[in-house]
Amino acid sequence: MAIVFTPFGDVKEEDFPSCAHFTKRKPADEILNEFYELGRGKSKIARDTIKCELNISYGESPREIIDVFYPSNVTEDTGMVIFFHGGYWQEGCSQDYHFLAIPITSSGRICILVGKDLAPQASLQESLNQCRKSLSFISKKFWATSEIIIFGHSAGGQECTMLLSTDWKAYDAELAFYLKSKLKKVISICGVYDLTQLIETHVNDVLNMSWKEAISVSPIAHIDQLYANLRSYDCEFIMINVENDAPTILKCSRIFEREMKLGAVPFRNFFLKDKDHFSVILEMVDKNSVGIKVLLGED
C-alpha cells in the first residue's frame, strides 16, 4: 500500500503547543504540574509497596534501563506488561510512570517500564532502536513468560506501534519467534502515527528530524509490515484516543484508524469522551479505569 504524505491542510506553529492546552480542566501549566506531582507521588507508593528491581541496564547508555515490578506470586511463566513513556521524545522518564505497576501487578502480571535516550542526545531512530534492544534483553531475562502486552502513551504510543511494525525476522530471528509465540496485545494511547507533520513545527527544534527520518519512524509508513505482523502473530492492536487532545493528534489518529480498518486485521479503537492527554494515563492507577480494563482484557 502506497502512503502519500501530505500535510493536514495549513499546519501552523500554534497547532502544536503542549497537549496540556487542550484539556479544558485547568490552565496548561497547572495540568503539567498536576501530572508530574500526582504521577511521581503515586510512583513512590509503587516503589515503596511493590517488590521491584530498578535501573537494570540493557545497554551502554545510563538511560538504557528497565524497571521491573513483580506481583506477589511469580513463576517462570507469569505474564508481563511492558510500557513505553511519552514526552514528545524529549522529556520524561520511566520512573514517573511507576504508578502503572499498582494495577498491573495486582492483576498477577509483571510490569516493566522502559527507559531510553531522548532528543537532542539521541535521534528518534536511535531511541527506537533502543526500544527494540530493550525487547531483546527482556526476551532473554523472561524467556518463559506465557504472554506479553506492550503499551505506550503519546510518543510511547508511536514507539510501541513501530515495534509492532518492525520486520522482526530481519532484525532478530530469535526475538521474532519469541514475540510470535507470546505477544498478545499492543495498545497505543494518544499515539502519534505520522511524524512528518512535526517537521515544520517548534517540536522539531529539539528533535531535528529530516523528512527522511520522520518517514522512517512514522507508523503509517510501515503499515504493511504492521498488517503482516498482526496476521502472523496471535496479536491484537488497540488505539485509545481522548476527546480533549491536540487537534493534530486527533486528525492523525483518524487517518491511521481508517488505514487500520482497511487492513482487515485484529484491531479495535476506543474514543474516550471527557478525557484528556494526561488524565487518561493518570487514571490508569485505578484498576477500574477504562485504560486498565482494556489493557488487561476486562473491557
Side-chain angles (χ1 to χ4, degrees):
M1 176 181 296
I3 302 296
V4 179
F5 290 88
T6 56
F8 295 126
D10 296 322
V11 178
K12 301 179 178 64
E13 180 87 2
E14 58 266 27
D15 290 334
F16 289 90
S18 166
C19 296
H21 288 275
F22 304 97
T23 63
K24 298 184 179 180
R25 291 185 289 121
K26 298 177 181 179
D29 58 341
E30 293 183 24
I31 287 291
L32 291 171
N33 289 338
E34 174 190 75
F35 180 73
Y36 286 113
E37 182 178 347
L38 290 177
R40 288 167 179 168
K42 293 174 182 177
S43 291
K44 184 178 186 304
I45 293 173
R47 291 190 293 273
D48 290 345
T49 59
I50 303 172
K51 180 183 177 182
C52 56
E53 293 181 274
L54 304 179
N55 301 317
I56 303 171
S57 175
Y58 68 83
E60 296 179 359
S61 167
R63 292 187 68 102
E64 286 183 286
I65 59 170
I66 61 170
D67 297 326
V68 183
F69 290 78
Y70 295 95
S72 54
N73 296 311
V74 183
T75 62
E76 280 191 343
D77 66 348
T78 297
M80 62 186 179
V81 178
I82 305 171
F83 176 73
F84 294 88
H85 71 84
Y88 260 136
W89 307 275
Q90 55 194 276
E91 298 175 345
C93 63
S94 57
Q95 289 86 343
D96 292 340
Y97 298 83
H98 284 170
F99 63 85
L100 293 168
I102 296 172
I104 292 171
T105 57
S106 293
S107 76
R109 296 171 174 86
I110 295 167
C111 178
I112 301 176
L113 301 99
V114 178
K116 69 274 183 179
D117 284 326
L118 304 174
Q121 285 72 32
S123 69
L124 266 66
Q125 187 63 65
E126 289 168 337
S127 294
L128 177 58
N129 284 337
Q130 289 178 346
C131 293
R132 290 173 175 141
K133 189 198 300 186
S134 75
L135 288 188
S136 183
F137 177 86
I138 290 167
S139 72
K140 294 176 175 62
K141 182 175 176 64
F142 297 99
W143 60 272
T145 186
S146 58
E147 68 169 12
I148 301 169
I149 299 170
I150 296 175
F151 79 115
H153 173 243
S154 195
Q158 173 264 343
E159 289 166 344
C160 70
T161 308
M162 282 300 299
L163 292 175
L164 187 56
S165 307
T166 296
D167 182 353
W168 288 108
K169 288 183 180 179
Y171 180 84
D172 182 332
E174 289 187 5
L175 182 55
F177 179 80
Y178 176 85
L179 292 174
K180 184 173 182 178
S181 62
K182 301 178 185 296
L183 183 61
K184 302 302 179 186
K185 188 183 299 183
V186 175
I187 303 175
S188 174
I189 303 172
C190 303
V192 184
Y193 306 103
D194 179 0
L195 278 71
T196 64
Q197 310 306 323
L198 301 177
I199 289 176
E200 300 299 328
T201 74
H202 68 86
V203 175
N204 202 34
D205 292 347
V206 177
L207 303 182
N208 197 30
M209 287 185 297
S210 66
W211 185 266
K212 181 178 180 181
E213 183 182 23
I215 292 175
S216 74
V217 295
S218 291
I220 200 166
H222 304 275
I223 202 161
D224 284 340
Q225 185 63 54
L226 192 156
Y227 290 162
N229 286 347
L230 284 171
R231 291 179 183 129
S232 175
Y233 298 5
D234 181 19
C235 176
E236 178 184 28
F237 179 62
I238 297 174
M239 292 171 62
I240 298 178
N241 285 102
V242 295
E243 181 180 16
N244 300 318
D245 208 342
T248 44
I249 288 181
L250 293 175
K251 289 179 183 178
C252 186
S253 293
R254 285 195 292 270
I255 291 173
F256 196 71
E257 176 188 329
R258 181 189 67 200
E259 297 296 331
M260 287 302 305
K261 289 178 177 177
L262 291 174
V265 291
F267 166 70
R268 288 186 292 157
N269 63 288
F270 293 82
F271 185 78
L272 307 185
K273 299 282 287 184
D274 302 320
K275 304 300 181 184
D276 61 58
H277 197 86
F278 301 93
S279 66
V280 66
I281 192 74
L282 274 180
E283 290 175 5
M284 288 182 72
V285 72
D286 181 358
K287 66 180 181 180
N288 294 314
S289 65
V290 174
I292 284 296
K293 287 185 175 182
V294 172
L295 180 73
L296 302 180
E298 300 169 358
D299 54 299

